[in-house]
Amino acid sequence: MPYESTITFILDTICPWTYLAFIRLNKALASYRSKNPSSPASFTLQPAPYQLYPDFSTKGEDKYEWYKKEKYGGSEERMNMYADHMTKLGNIEGISFDFHGQIGNTLHAHRIIHYLLNSKSPAAAQKCLESLYKQYFEQQAHPSRPSTLVTACLAAGLTEEEARTLVDDESEGLGVTKAAIREQTGNGVDSVPYIVFEGRRRDFTLVGAKEVAEYEKILGQVAKECV
């Protein structure tokens, strides 16, 4: 039996770097599995919640203006340079970044992902996360609006009724999600993406969005140390 390695992918759904890392890591996994069909290790990607800005309101505010003010001191030129840079990186990975729309609190997005991970499967949680990323970064969707969350639940395989019940009941899974966020903070996580590759002998941690080749190299190292 192959060694079963969990890849804990710690993220926030409004962080563009975690979107890049998510796409690149999945490309690395697909490439590694294709090249190593008899690998001594199998890998499961498991999302874990972290909030970069826990004090954001659920109402939200203009995303572009917030970035310009908070990240670039109100400079239009610096903001445009950042948007152009991220657009180029995104295009390489098939992401059409759009820095317009609303930015807001992500707690309930994490609640939905965490619920799906624990009650359905890691694959369902990933489908939900993929939808949340695409909606927020490419379609100007509000990160915590019920319509955004319902769409993500449907992408994960829930029925319309199941999705609306989960989204409307804001207490469902809220406590465990908050505890999971506190756990990441307690583990020293202070930025995302923060990715932990579980190994038989030791774990490997990568912070920040890396290239596909670097993720694939770590997968190979985990497998090598399983033998």
Side-chain angles (χ1 to χ4, degrees):
M1 291 289 291
Y3 171 73
E4 296 181 3
S5 171
T6 297
I7 302 172
T8 303
F9 184 78
I10 303 168
L11 66 109
D12 201 356
T13 62
I14 57 172
C15 172
W17 297 104
T18 63
Y19 191 10
L20 280 171
F22 178 74
I23 296 297
R24 291 173 178 174
L25 179 54
N26 274 290
K27 286 182 177 181
L29 284 163
S31 176
Y32 177 82
R33 288 164 178 157
S34 175
K35 296 174 184 175
N36 302 276
S38 301
S39 172
S42 65
F43 298 95
T44 300
L45 182 58
Q46 181 170 296
Y50 182 81
Q51 283 194 285
L52 290 167
Y53 311 106
D55 295 328
F56 267 154
S57 72
T58 54
K59 181 179 179 181
E61 56 185 290
D62 185 275
K63 186 196 305 183
Y64 185 91
E65 292 301 322
W66 182 88
Y67 265 94
K68 185 173 73 173
K69 176 185 176 183
E70 299 296 331
K71 298 291 188 180
Y72 300 105
S75 169
E76 191 77 29
E77 180 181 6
R78 291 178 65 201
M79 179 61 202
N80 285 333
M81 288 176 62
Y82 168 74
D84 288 345
H85 177 63
M86 294 304 296
T87 296
K88 290 175 183 176
L89 292 179
N91 287 341
I92 294 171
E93 308 302 345
I95 300 170
S96 299
F97 277 118
D98 185 336
F99 285 94
H100 295 281
Q102 297 283 303
I103 193 169
N105 194 286
T106 58
L107 179 60
H108 287 290
H110 286 303
R111 178 178 68 83
I112 298 298
I113 297 168
H114 204 62
Y115 173 87
L116 290 167
L117 176 65
N118 289 284
S119 67
K120 298 298 180 180
S121 67
Q126 282 190 64
K127 289 290 186 184
C128 175
L129 176 58
E130 185 178 1
S131 174
L132 289 170
Y133 276 144
K134 191 168 188 65
Q135 289 185 79
Y136 176 71
F137 284 111
E138 303 187 49
Q139 300 167 359
Q140 298 188 17
H142 190 292
S144 60
R145 189 161 290 159
S147 58
T148 304
L149 302 182
V150 166
T151 297
C153 288
L154 295 175
L158 297 189
T159 66
E160 182 89 21
E161 181 179 0
E162 289 173 330
R164 294 197 177 279
T165 298
L166 176 58
V167 172
D168 290 344
D169 184 0
E170 295 189 348
S171 65
E172 178 64 62
L174 185 60
V176 293
T177 303
K178 287 182 175 180
I181 293 170
R182 289 194 299 270
E183 179 182 355
Q184 304 312 330
T185 303
N187 289 338
V189 176
D190 60 4
S191 64
V192 288
Y194 191 103
I195 309 173
V196 181
F197 299 76
E198 181 185 47
R200 173 167 282 166
R201 302 179 190 174
R202 56 175 173 155
D203 296 341
F204 298 84
T205 300
L206 291 179
V207 181
K210 307 302 183 184
E211 297 295 333
V212 172
E214 188 164 353
Y215 291 132
E216 195 168 353
K217 180 181 178 180
I218 296 297
L219 297 174
Q221 190 66 34
V222 171
K224 181 180 178 181
E225 294 189 6
C226 288
V227 179

